[in-house]
């Protein structure tokens, strides 16, 4: 008799777990609080524009071990990917730097800005253009890896040993501070620790080979993140799975320290042989289970690790063609703005002109980011008048600044929308409105094994962004795959995967 599994959450990790479960003969159903699947891979339409908040790059979209997973999930092979020739353009202090994917061009620019930083510039480019860790990845869970699996990655790890040794506990912030030129100090930090999307205490070792792993072989899927999520959801349904949207799970049915089912907001109960929680971790561990099933590691994660900061987005549909502009610009406005009591002196602006589906012809979908504090927006959302006025104030500020950069911008704005951390919570239930779990830091970089279960509670497994450090789309999907792989091993079943066309992949 086939085993029945309930999956909570139809984000990428839940959809991935569902697809692999169906491939391996389990009977599954997914319960999702939102009206559509996708979780944080979300987009919406306004007056012909599509505003997409996720998947600005998809690691493993070109080659490597992760590519195989995207192939299995029907993404690779069914989507076109756009690979940028630059990461961002930094403008400030009267200077400009384009983080080109061409090493020679980048070094020439940086040397022209600060010849006295020549040695450090080479050190920086050696790291970001050097060997990466992607080929050392394996789709197999650590719990199932054997000696051969560990030996296999040695050729990929050896070229990185000098980087690991030299930059063991060095962060990008500490490294950038070594530059003599004030502009390069900011620009190099913004390479990953950017305004609107900060990377607190980001380890330099994680920068190894970033240009290849994070840009040239991490394309942006044309059609956007929601289209990718819908495609995986369709695959899941073709495999026989069922998705129940608009069904918020508010409780678990626990019997003798075993998860036996779920209870929905409407009071209905649904039982299963096993539960996979692919929703918000804090909601599960603290709100539903009251902290009963904990250990020191879980306590440390929620007390010591740093959640990725929530974001205020200013989304703008404008009747201007910005396709000749850098796709991501970080610039220093002539006047700062204060949001939630904090002053911002830099703005990150993106456009999606490389993807023609995001705006009508000749027009542009634009967004600006501000990382912020959840508590401020949680309180403000209680007064809709003040909440909407604050969103409008921030949108007006961004439009004013973009008018100075692109004269005529203001008169060509056709629509604006301003999702806040409160919006994230309303649609995804994510703790503190975080878009990506916890930051990767030198303190937790060696604690990356996922927390897949809760001590003392049987019948429940966890997948998704709260199971480890800075999961992102890739590791979220991988966590769903690995949960099913571990289930198969426990039950003595051979784990199999299929291509969307139905052909059987090897083990």
């Amino acid at each position: 008799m086939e085993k029945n599994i309930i999956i909570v959450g139809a984000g990428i990790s839940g959809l991935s777990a569902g697809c692999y479960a169906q491939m391996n003969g389990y009977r599954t159903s997914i319960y999702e609080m939102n009206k559509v699947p996708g979780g944080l891979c979300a987009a919406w339409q306004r007056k012909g524009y599509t505003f997409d908040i996720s998947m600005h790059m998809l690691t493993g979209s070109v080659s490597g071990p992760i590519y195989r997973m995207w192939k299995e999930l029907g993404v690779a092979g069914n989507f076109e990917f756009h690979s940028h020739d630059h990461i961002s353009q930094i403008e400030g202090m009267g200077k400009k730097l384009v983080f080109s994917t061409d090493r020679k061009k980048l070094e020439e620019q940086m040397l022209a800005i600060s010849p006295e930083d020549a040695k450090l510039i080479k050190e920086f480019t050696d790291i970001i253009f050097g060997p990466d860790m992607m080929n050392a990845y394996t789709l197999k869970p650590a719990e199932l890896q054997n000696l051969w699996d560990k030996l296999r990655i040695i050729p990929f790890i050896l070229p990185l040993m000098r980087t690991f040794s030299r930059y063991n506990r060095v962060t990008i912030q500490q490294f950038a501070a070594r530059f003599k030129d004030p502009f390069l100090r900011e620009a190099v930090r913004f390479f990953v620790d950017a305004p609107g999307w900060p990377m607190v205490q980001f380890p330099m070792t994680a920068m190894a080979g970033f240009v290849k792993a994070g840009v040239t072989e991490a394309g942006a899927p044309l059609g956007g993140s929601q289209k990718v999520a819908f495609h995986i959801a369709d695959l899941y349904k073709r495999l026989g799975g069922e998705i129940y949207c608009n069904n918020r799970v508010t409780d678990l049915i626990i019997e003798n320290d075993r998860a036996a089912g779920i209870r929905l907001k409407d009071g209905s109960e649904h039982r299963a042989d096993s539960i996979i929680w692919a929703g918000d971790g804090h909601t599960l561990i603290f709100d539903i289970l009251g902290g009963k099933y904990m250990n020191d590691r879980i306590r440390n994660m929620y007390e010591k690790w740093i959640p990725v900061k929530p974001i205020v987005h200013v989304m703008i549909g404008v009747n201007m063609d910005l396709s000749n502009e850098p796709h991501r610009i970080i610039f220093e406005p002539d006047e700062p703005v204060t949001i939630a009591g904090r002053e911002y002196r830099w703005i990150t602006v993106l456009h999606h002109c490389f993807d023609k589906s995001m705006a009508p012809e000749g027009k542009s979908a634009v967004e600006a980011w501000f990382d912020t504090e959840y508590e401020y927006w949680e309180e403000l959302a209680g007064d809709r008048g003040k909440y909407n006025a604050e969103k409008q104030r921030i949108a007006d500020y961004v439009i004013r600044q973009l008018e100075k950069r692109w004269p005529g911008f203001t008169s060509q704005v056709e629509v604006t929308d301003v999702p806040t951390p409160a919006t994230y919570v309303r649609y995804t239930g994510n703790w503190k409105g975080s878009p990506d779990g916890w930051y990767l830091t030198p303190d937790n970089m060696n604690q990356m094994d996922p927390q897949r279960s809760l001590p003392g509670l049987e019948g429940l497994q966890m997948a998704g962004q709260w199971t480890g450090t800075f999961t992102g789309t890739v590791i979220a999907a991988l966590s769903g795959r690995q949960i099913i792989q571990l289930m198969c091993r426990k039950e003595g079943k051979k784990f199999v995967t299929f291509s969307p066309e139905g052909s059987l992949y090897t083990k």
Side-chain angles (χ1 to χ4, degrees), residues 88-99 183 186-187 190 325-326 328-333 345-347 402 405-406:
S88 59
Q89 177 169 294
I90 318 297
E91 303 172 358
M93 306 180 195
K95 300 177 182 180
K96 181 173 74 175
L97 174 65
V98 178
F99 277 117
F183 173 72
E186 296 281 22
F190 291 166
E325 297 288 324
R328 181 175 305 195
I329 302 169
I330 300 171
F331 70 97
E332 193 175 29
R345 293 186 170 275
W346 295 83
I347 303 177
L402 295 183
R405 197 180 194 288
W406 297 308

PDB file of all heavy atoms in Angstrom, residues 88-99 183 186-187 190 325-326 328-333 345-347 402 405-406:
ATOM      1  N   SER A  88      26.683  44.465 -11.609  1.00  0.00           N
ATOM      2  CA  SER A  88      26.037  45.725 -11.244  1.00  0.00           C
ATOM      3  C   SER A  88      26.940  46.873 -11.649  1.00  0.00           C
ATOM      4  O   SER A  88      28.121  46.673 -11.974  1.00  0.00           O
ATOM      5  CB  SER A  88      25.764  45.783  -9.730  1.00  0.00           C
ATOM      6  OG  SER A  88      26.974  45.655  -9.003  1.00  0.00           O
ATOM      7  N   GLN A  89      26.376  48.074 -11.653  1.00  0.00           N
ATOM      8  CA  GLN A  89      27.150  49.288 -11.878  1.00  0.00           C
ATOM      9  C   GLN A  89      27.030  50.153 -10.630  1.00  0.00           C
ATOM     10  O   GLN A  89      25.931  50.437 -10.170  1.00  0.00           O
ATOM     11  CB  GLN A  89      26.642  50.049 -13.096  1.00  0.00           C
ATOM     12  CG  GLN A  89      27.373  51.376 -13.343  1.00  0.00           C
ATOM     13  CD  GLN A  89      27.033  51.970 -14.692  1.00  0.00           C
ATOM     14  OE1 GLN A  89      27.374  51.394 -15.725  1.00  0.00           O
ATOM     15  NE2 GLN A  89      26.376  53.132 -14.699  1.00  0.00           N
ATOM     16  N   ILE A  90      28.187  50.554 -10.081  1.00  0.00           N
ATOM     17  CA  ILE A  90      28.220  51.366  -8.871  1.00  0.00           C
ATOM     18  C   ILE A  90      28.559  52.799  -9.262  1.00  0.00           C
ATOM     19  O   ILE A  90      29.533  53.040  -9.980  1.00  0.00           O
ATOM     20  CB  ILE A  90      29.267  50.845  -7.860  1.00  0.00           C
ATOM     21  CG1 ILE A  90      29.243  49.310  -7.780  1.00  0.00           C
ATOM     22  CG2 ILE A  90      29.055  51.491  -6.498  1.00  0.00           C
ATOM     23  CD1 ILE A  90      27.966  48.718  -7.286  1.00  0.00           C
ATOM     24  N   GLU A  91      27.773  53.762  -8.761  1.00  0.00           N
ATOM     25  CA  GLU A  91      27.989  55.169  -9.071  1.00  0.00           C
ATOM     26  C   GLU A  91      27.963  55.989  -7.788  1.00  0.00           C
ATOM     27  O   GLU A  91      26.973  55.946  -7.035  1.00  0.00           O
ATOM     28  CB  GLU A  91      26.880  55.687 -10.001  1.00  0.00           C
ATOM     29  CG  GLU A  91      26.739  54.916 -11.303  1.00  0.00           C
ATOM     30  CD  GLU A  91      25.510  55.332 -12.099  1.00  0.00           C
ATOM     31  OE1 GLU A  91      24.739  56.207 -11.612  1.00  0.00           O
ATOM     32  OE2 GLU A  91      25.319  54.781 -13.190  1.00  0.00           O
ATOM     33  N   GLY A  92      29.039  56.708  -7.522  1.00  0.00           N
ATOM     34  CA  GLY A  92      29.067  57.541  -6.329  1.00  0.00           C
ATOM     35  C   GLY A  92      30.410  58.224  -6.170  1.00  0.00           C
ATOM     36  O   GLY A  92      31.416  57.800  -6.763  1.00  0.00           O
ATOM     37  N   MET A  93      30.449  59.285  -5.380  1.00  0.00           N
ATOM     38  CA  MET A  93      31.681  60.029  -5.114  1.00  0.00           C
ATOM     39  C   MET A  93      32.323  60.510  -6.407  1.00  0.00           C
ATOM     40  O   MET A  93      33.554  60.646  -6.503  1.00  0.00           O
ATOM     41  CB  MET A  93      32.686  59.169  -4.327  1.00  0.00           C
ATOM     42  CG  MET A  93      32.122  58.587  -3.048  1.00  0.00           C
ATOM     43  SD  MET A  93      33.359  57.575  -2.164  1.00  0.00           S
ATOM     44  CE  MET A  93      32.307  56.685  -1.019  1.00  0.00           C
ATOM     45  N   GLY A  94      31.492  60.748  -7.445  1.00  0.00           N
ATOM     46  CA  GLY A  94      32.016  61.211  -8.724  1.00  0.00           C
ATOM     47  C   GLY A  94      32.692  60.117  -9.541  1.00  0.00           C
ATOM     48  O   GLY A  94      33.368  60.424 -10.538  1.00  0.00           O
ATOM     49  N   LYS A  95      32.533  58.848  -9.163  1.00  0.00           N
ATOM     50  CA  LYS A  95      33.184  57.746  -9.867  1.00  0.00           C
ATOM     51  C   LYS A  95      32.153  56.688 -10.265  1.00  0.00           C
ATOM     52  O   LYS A  95      31.025  56.673  -9.770  1.00  0.00           O
ATOM     53  CB  LYS A  95      34.266  57.118  -8.981  1.00  0.00           C
ATOM     54  CG  LYS A  95      35.358  58.094  -8.580  1.00  0.00           C
ATOM     55  CD  LYS A  95      36.371  57.466  -7.636  1.00  0.00           C
ATOM     56  CE  LYS A  95      37.426  58.478  -7.221  1.00  0.00           C
ATOM     57  NZ  LYS A  95      38.431  57.903  -6.291  1.00  0.00           N
ATOM     58  N   LYS A  96      32.560  55.804 -11.158  1.00  0.00           N
ATOM     59  CA  LYS A  96      31.677  54.748 -11.643  1.00  0.00           C
ATOM     60  C   LYS A  96      32.476  53.474 -11.869  1.00  0.00           C
ATOM     61  O   LYS A  96      33.608  53.511 -12.347  1.00  0.00           O
ATOM     62  CB  LYS A  96      31.006  55.181 -12.949  1.00  0.00           C
ATOM     63  CG  LYS A  96      30.051  54.150 -13.535  1.00  0.00           C
ATOM     64  CD  LYS A  96      29.295  54.705 -14.743  1.00  0.00           C
ATOM     65  CE  LYS A  96      30.198  54.807 -15.951  1.00  0.00           C
ATOM     66  NZ  LYS A  96      29.446  55.222 -17.168  1.00  0.00           N
ATOM     67  N   LEU A  97      31.879  52.339 -11.509  1.00  0.00           N
ATOM     68  CA  LEU A  97      32.522  51.046 -11.708  1.00  0.00           C
ATOM     69  C   LEU A  97      31.469  50.032 -12.152  1.00  0.00           C
ATOM     70  O   LEU A  97      30.438  49.864 -11.493  1.00  0.00           O
ATOM     71  CB  LEU A  97      33.175  50.558 -10.419  1.00  0.00           C
ATOM     72  CG  LEU A  97      33.772  49.134 -10.447  1.00  0.00           C
ATOM     73  CD1 LEU A  97      34.943  49.053 -11.423  1.00  0.00           C
ATOM     74  CD2 LEU A  97      34.210  48.700  -9.049  1.00  0.00           C
ATOM     75  N   VAL A  98      31.741  49.377 -13.286  1.00  0.00           N
ATOM     76  CA  VAL A  98      30.876  48.298 -13.752  1.00  0.00           C
ATOM     77  C   VAL A  98      31.528  46.975 -13.373  1.00  0.00           C
ATOM     78  O   VAL A  98      32.661  46.702 -13.788  1.00  0.00           O
ATOM     79  CB  VAL A  98      30.666  48.352 -15.282  1.00  0.00           C
ATOM     80  CG1 VAL A  98      29.799  47.169 -15.735  1.00  0.00           C
ATOM     81  CG2 VAL A  98      30.035  49.668 -15.699  1.00  0.00           C
ATOM     82  N   PHE A  99      30.840  46.169 -12.576  1.00  0.00           N
ATOM     83  CA  PHE A  99      31.360  44.847 -12.229  1.00  0.00           C
ATOM     84  C   PHE A  99      31.120  43.915 -13.406  1.00  0.00           C
ATOM     85  O   PHE A  99      30.157  43.149 -13.450  1.00  0.00           O
ATOM     86  CB  PHE A  99      30.703  44.313 -10.955  1.00  0.00           C
ATOM     87  CG  PHE A  99      31.331  44.831  -9.695  1.00  0.00           C
ATOM     88  CD1 PHE A  99      30.607  45.604  -8.810  1.00  0.00           C
ATOM     89  CD2 PHE A  99      32.658  44.542  -9.396  1.00  0.00           C
ATOM     90  CE1 PHE A  99      31.183  46.090  -7.644  1.00  0.00           C
ATOM     91  CE2 PHE A  99      33.258  45.023  -8.242  1.00  0.00           C
ATOM     92  CZ  PHE A  99      32.513  45.798  -7.361  1.00  0.00           C
ATOM     93  N   PHE A 183      35.948  55.109  -2.589  1.00  0.00           N
ATOM     94  CA  PHE A 183      34.904  54.596  -3.480  1.00  0.00           C
ATOM     95  C   PHE A 183      35.022  53.082  -3.645  1.00  0.00           C
ATOM     96  O   PHE A 183      34.017  52.360  -3.586  1.00  0.00           O
ATOM     97  CB  PHE A 183      34.988  55.288  -4.847  1.00  0.00           C
ATOM     98  CG  PHE A 183      34.060  54.693  -5.874  1.00  0.00           C
ATOM     99  CD1 PHE A 183      32.687  54.893  -5.783  1.00  0.00           C
ATOM    100  CD2 PHE A 183      34.553  53.929  -6.919  1.00  0.00           C
ATOM    101  CE1 PHE A 183      31.830  54.333  -6.729  1.00  0.00           C
ATOM    102  CE2 PHE A 183      33.704  53.371  -7.863  1.00  0.00           C
ATOM    103  CZ  PHE A 183      32.333  53.573  -7.766  1.00  0.00           C
ATOM    104  N   GLU A 186      33.620  51.072  -0.790  1.00  0.00           N
ATOM    105  CA  GLU A 186      32.173  50.868  -0.856  1.00  0.00           C
ATOM    106  C   GLU A 186      31.815  49.895  -1.983  1.00  0.00           C
ATOM    107  O   GLU A 186      31.020  48.973  -1.799  1.00  0.00           O
ATOM    108  CB  GLU A 186      31.455  52.201  -1.090  1.00  0.00           C
ATOM    109  CG  GLU A 186      31.619  53.198   0.034  1.00  0.00           C
ATOM    110  CD  GLU A 186      30.696  52.904   1.210  1.00  0.00           C
ATOM    111  OE1 GLU A 186      30.242  51.754   1.371  1.00  0.00           O
ATOM    112  OE2 GLU A 186      30.425  53.836   1.989  1.00  0.00           O
ATOM    113  N   ALA A 187      32.394  50.115  -3.154  1.00  0.00           N
ATOM    114  CA  ALA A 187      32.018  49.323  -4.335  1.00  0.00           C
ATOM    115  C   ALA A 187      32.308  47.840  -4.152  1.00  0.00           C
ATOM    116  O   ALA A 187      31.477  46.985  -4.498  1.00  0.00           O
ATOM    117  CB  ALA A 187      32.741  49.860  -5.571  1.00  0.00           C
ATOM    118  N   PHE A 190      29.829  46.328  -1.984  1.00  0.00           N
ATOM    119  CA  PHE A 190      28.537  46.221  -2.664  1.00  0.00           C
ATOM    120  C   PHE A 190      28.500  45.068  -3.669  1.00  0.00           C
ATOM    121  O   PHE A 190      27.432  44.752  -4.198  1.00  0.00           O
ATOM    122  CB  PHE A 190      28.210  47.530  -3.394  1.00  0.00           C
ATOM    123  CG  PHE A 190      27.914  48.687  -2.482  1.00  0.00           C
ATOM    124  CD1 PHE A 190      27.896  49.986  -2.982  1.00  0.00           C
ATOM    125  CD2 PHE A 190      27.648  48.508  -1.126  1.00  0.00           C
ATOM    126  CE1 PHE A 190      27.616  51.067  -2.158  1.00  0.00           C
ATOM    127  CE2 PHE A 190      27.380  49.587  -0.292  1.00  0.00           C
ATOM    128  CZ  PHE A 190      27.364  50.870  -0.809  1.00  0.00           C
ATOM    129  N   GLU A 325      20.563  50.443 -20.390  1.00  0.00           N
ATOM    130  CA  GLU A 325      21.136  50.754 -19.084  1.00  0.00           C
ATOM    131  C   GLU A 325      21.578  49.467 -18.384  1.00  0.00           C
ATOM    132  O   GLU A 325      21.026  48.391 -18.644  1.00  0.00           O
ATOM    133  CB  GLU A 325      20.098  51.465 -18.207  1.00  0.00           C
ATOM    134  CG  GLU A 325      19.641  52.813 -18.732  1.00  0.00           C
ATOM    135  CD  GLU A 325      20.721  53.870 -18.600  1.00  0.00           C
ATOM    136  OE1 GLU A 325      21.468  53.832 -17.601  1.00  0.00           O
ATOM    137  OE2 GLU A 325      20.815  54.732 -19.492  1.00  0.00           O
ATOM    138  N   PRO A 326      22.567  49.534 -17.494  1.00  0.00           N
ATOM    139  CA  PRO A 326      22.924  48.347 -16.700  1.00  0.00           C
ATOM    140  C   PRO A 326      21.692  47.808 -15.980  1.00  0.00           C
ATOM    141  O   PRO A 326      20.847  48.591 -15.515  1.00  0.00           O
ATOM    142  CB  PRO A 326      23.956  48.886 -15.704  1.00  0.00           C
ATOM    143  CG  PRO A 326      24.529  50.105 -16.365  1.00  0.00           C
ATOM    144  CD  PRO A 326      23.397  50.707 -17.146  1.00  0.00           C
ATOM    145  N   ARG A 328      21.375  46.423 -13.162  1.00  0.00           N
ATOM    146  CA  ARG A 328      21.359  46.729 -11.731  1.00  0.00           C
ATOM    147  C   ARG A 328      22.310  47.892 -11.480  1.00  0.00           C
ATOM    148  O   ARG A 328      23.491  47.814 -11.800  1.00  0.00           O
ATOM    149  CB  ARG A 328      21.777  45.519 -10.909  1.00  0.00           C
ATOM    150  CG  ARG A 328      21.759  45.765  -9.402  1.00  0.00           C
ATOM    151  CD  ARG A 328      22.063  44.517  -8.598  1.00  0.00           C
ATOM    152  NE  ARG A 328      21.169  43.426  -8.930  1.00  0.00           N
ATOM    153  CZ  ARG A 328      21.006  42.322  -8.206  1.00  0.00           C
ATOM    154  NH1 ARG A 328      21.686  42.180  -7.092  1.00  0.00           N
ATOM    155  NH2 ARG A 328      20.176  41.381  -8.596  1.00  0.00           N
ATOM    156  N   ILE A 329      21.777  48.947 -10.908  1.00  0.00           N
ATOM    157  CA  ILE A 329      22.570  50.152 -10.650  1.00  0.00           C
ATOM    158  C   ILE A 329      22.484  50.472  -9.158  1.00  0.00           C
ATOM    159  O   ILE A 329      21.396  50.499  -8.579  1.00  0.00           O
ATOM    160  CB  ILE A 329      22.045  51.357 -11.457  1.00  0.00           C
ATOM    161  CG1 ILE A 329      22.074  51.043 -12.965  1.00  0.00           C
ATOM    162  CG2 ILE A 329      22.863  52.604 -11.160  1.00  0.00           C
ATOM    163  CD1 ILE A 329      21.335  52.055 -13.814  1.00  0.00           C
ATOM    164  N   ILE A 330      23.634  50.686  -8.554  1.00  0.00           N
ATOM    165  CA  ILE A 330      23.699  51.117  -7.162  1.00  0.00           C
ATOM    166  C   ILE A 330      24.293  52.516  -7.173  1.00  0.00           C
ATOM    167  O   ILE A 330      25.433  52.707  -7.605  1.00  0.00           O
ATOM    168  CB  ILE A 330      24.565  50.171  -6.313  1.00  0.00           C
ATOM    169  CG1 ILE A 330      23.976  48.754  -6.346  1.00  0.00           C
ATOM    170  CG2 ILE A 330      24.676  50.668  -4.877  1.00  0.00           C
ATOM    171  CD1 ILE A 330      24.860  47.700  -5.715  1.00  0.00           C
ATOM    172  N   PHE A 331      23.498  53.498  -6.770  1.00  0.00           N
ATOM    173  CA  PHE A 331      23.992  54.868  -6.883  1.00  0.00           C
ATOM    174  C   PHE A 331      23.750  55.655  -5.596  1.00  0.00           C
ATOM    175  O   PHE A 331      22.918  55.300  -4.762  1.00  0.00           O
ATOM    176  CB  PHE A 331      23.369  55.584  -8.085  1.00  0.00           C
ATOM    177  CG  PHE A 331      21.907  55.908  -7.958  1.00  0.00           C
ATOM    178  CD1 PHE A 331      21.485  57.174  -7.555  1.00  0.00           C
ATOM    179  CD2 PHE A 331      20.936  54.957  -8.261  1.00  0.00           C
ATOM    180  CE1 PHE A 331      20.139  57.480  -7.448  1.00  0.00           C
ATOM    181  CE2 PHE A 331      19.583  55.249  -8.160  1.00  0.00           C
ATOM    182  CZ  PHE A 331      19.183  56.517  -7.750  1.00  0.00           C
ATOM    183  N   GLU A 332      24.493  56.748  -5.495  1.00  0.00           N
ATOM    184  CA  GLU A 332      24.447  57.630  -4.342  1.00  0.00           C
ATOM    185  C   GLU A 332      23.545  58.815  -4.693  1.00  0.00           C
ATOM    186  O   GLU A 332      23.924  59.654  -5.508  1.00  0.00           O
ATOM    187  CB  GLU A 332      25.864  58.112  -4.007  1.00  0.00           C
ATOM    188  CG  GLU A 332      26.010  58.781  -2.675  1.00  0.00           C
ATOM    189  CD  GLU A 332      27.470  59.116  -2.389  1.00  0.00           C
ATOM    190  OE1 GLU A 332      28.240  59.343  -3.340  1.00  0.00           O
ATOM    191  OE2 GLU A 332      27.831  59.164  -1.201  1.00  0.00           O
ATOM    192  N   PRO A 333      22.337  58.875  -4.138  1.00  0.00           N
ATOM    193  CA  PRO A 333      21.441  59.986  -4.473  1.00  0.00           C
ATOM    194  C   PRO A 333      21.941  61.296  -3.875  1.00  0.00           C
ATOM    195  O   PRO A 333      22.768  61.296  -2.969  1.00  0.00           O
ATOM    196  CB  PRO A 333      20.114  59.557  -3.838  1.00  0.00           C
ATOM    197  CG  PRO A 333      20.524  58.696  -2.679  1.00  0.00           C
ATOM    198  CD  PRO A 333      21.770  57.966  -3.121  1.00  0.00           C
ATOM    199  N   ARG A 345      21.807  56.159   2.252  1.00  0.00           N
ATOM    200  CA  ARG A 345      22.600  57.041   1.403  1.00  0.00           C
ATOM    201  C   ARG A 345      22.942  56.414   0.054  1.00  0.00           C
ATOM    202  O   ARG A 345      23.645  57.021  -0.753  1.00  0.00           O
ATOM    203  CB  ARG A 345      23.880  57.459   2.131  1.00  0.00           C
ATOM    204  CG  ARG A 345      23.598  58.343   3.348  1.00  0.00           C
ATOM    205  CD  ARG A 345      24.857  58.888   3.981  1.00  0.00           C
ATOM    206  NE  ARG A 345      24.541  59.913   4.974  1.00  0.00           N
ATOM    207  CZ  ARG A 345      24.346  61.198   4.692  1.00  0.00           C
ATOM    208  NH1 ARG A 345      24.450  61.604   3.440  1.00  0.00           N
ATOM    209  NH2 ARG A 345      24.057  62.060   5.643  1.00  0.00           N
ATOM    210  N   TRP A 346      22.485  55.188  -0.171  1.00  0.00           N
ATOM    211  CA  TRP A 346      22.674  54.520  -1.452  1.00  0.00           C
ATOM    212  C   TRP A 346      21.355  53.850  -1.838  1.00  0.00           C
ATOM    213  O   TRP A 346      20.591  53.435  -0.967  1.00  0.00           O
ATOM    214  CB  TRP A 346      23.773  53.463  -1.385  1.00  0.00           C
ATOM    215  CG  TRP A 346      25.151  53.999  -1.133  1.00  0.00           C
ATOM    216  CD1 TRP A 346      25.708  54.319   0.063  1.00  0.00           C
ATOM    217  CD2 TRP A 346      26.148  54.272  -2.120  1.00  0.00           C
ATOM    218  NE1 TRP A 346      26.986  54.783  -0.091  1.00  0.00           N
ATOM    219  CE2 TRP A 346      27.295  54.759  -1.436  1.00  0.00           C
ATOM    220  CE3 TRP A 346      26.208  54.166  -3.505  1.00  0.00           C
ATOM    221  CZ2 TRP A 346      28.469  55.118  -2.090  1.00  0.00           C
ATOM    222  CZ3 TRP A 346      27.382  54.513  -4.167  1.00  0.00           C
ATOM    223  CH2 TRP A 346      28.485  54.991  -3.465  1.00  0.00           C
ATOM    224  N   ILE A 347      21.106  53.739  -3.131  1.00  0.00           N
ATOM    225  CA  ILE A 347      19.894  53.082  -3.632  1.00  0.00           C
ATOM    226  C   ILE A 347      20.292  52.015  -4.655  1.00  0.00           C
ATOM    227  O   ILE A 347      21.145  52.254  -5.517  1.00  0.00           O
ATOM    228  CB  ILE A 347      18.931  54.077  -4.312  1.00  0.00           C
ATOM    229  CG1 ILE A 347      18.539  55.197  -3.360  1.00  0.00           C
ATOM    230  CG2 ILE A 347      17.681  53.353  -4.818  1.00  0.00           C
ATOM    231  CD1 ILE A 347      17.646  56.239  -4.028  1.00  0.00           C
ATOM    232  N   LEU A 402      15.128  59.019  -9.547  1.00  0.00           N
ATOM    233  CA  LEU A 402      15.283  58.475 -10.900  1.00  0.00           C
ATOM    234  C   LEU A 402      15.030  59.538 -11.965  1.00  0.00           C
ATOM    235  O   LEU A 402      15.570  59.465 -13.071  1.00  0.00           O
ATOM    236  CB  LEU A 402      14.350  57.276 -11.090  1.00  0.00           C
ATOM    237  CG  LEU A 402      14.668  56.067 -10.193  1.00  0.00           C
ATOM    238  CD1 LEU A 402      13.739  54.910 -10.513  1.00  0.00           C
ATOM    239  CD2 LEU A 402      16.126  55.627 -10.332  1.00  0.00           C
ATOM    240  N   ARG A 405      18.242  61.100 -12.694  1.00  0.00           N
ATOM    241  CA  ARG A 405      19.127  60.240 -13.487  1.00  0.00           C
ATOM    242  C   ARG A 405      18.629  60.109 -14.922  1.00  0.00           C
ATOM    243  O   ARG A 405      19.397  60.084 -15.869  1.00  0.00           O
ATOM    244  CB  ARG A 405      19.212  58.854 -12.852  1.00  0.00           C
ATOM    245  CG  ARG A 405      20.383  58.049 -13.352  1.00  0.00           C
ATOM    246  CD  ARG A 405      20.456  56.681 -12.713  1.00  0.00           C
ATOM    247  NE  ARG A 405      21.751  56.082 -12.952  1.00  0.00           N
ATOM    248  CZ  ARG A 405      22.154  55.625 -14.113  1.00  0.00           C
ATOM    249  NH1 ARG A 405      21.363  55.698 -15.159  1.00  0.00           N
ATOM    250  NH2 ARG A 405      23.369  55.109 -14.251  1.00  0.00           N
ATOM    251  N   TRP A 406      17.316  59.987 -15.060  1.00  0.00           N
ATOM    252  CA  TRP A 406      16.686  59.840 -16.378  1.00  0.00           C
ATOM    253  C   TRP A 406      15.620  60.930 -16.528  1.00  0.00           C
ATOM    254  O   TRP A 406      14.451  60.712 -16.174  1.00  0.00           O
ATOM    255  CB  TRP A 406      16.048  58.456 -16.517  1.00  0.00           C
ATOM    256  CG  TRP A 406      17.037  57.320 -16.458  1.00  0.00           C
ATOM    257  CD1 TRP A 406      18.168  57.173 -17.198  1.00  0.00           C
ATOM    258  CD2 TRP A 406      16.980  56.158 -15.606  1.00  0.00           C
ATOM    259  NE1 TRP A 406      18.827  56.004 -16.868  1.00  0.00           N
ATOM    260  CE2 TRP A 406      18.117  55.351 -15.899  1.00  0.00           C
ATOM    261  CE3 TRP A 406      16.079  55.715 -14.640  1.00  0.00           C
ATOM    262  CZ2 TRP A 406      18.371  54.152 -15.251  1.00  0.00           C
ATOM    263  CZ3 TRP A 406      16.330  54.514 -14.003  1.00  0.00           C
ATOM    264  CH2 TRP A 406      17.459  53.735 -14.313  1.00  0.00           C
TER     265      TRP A 406
END
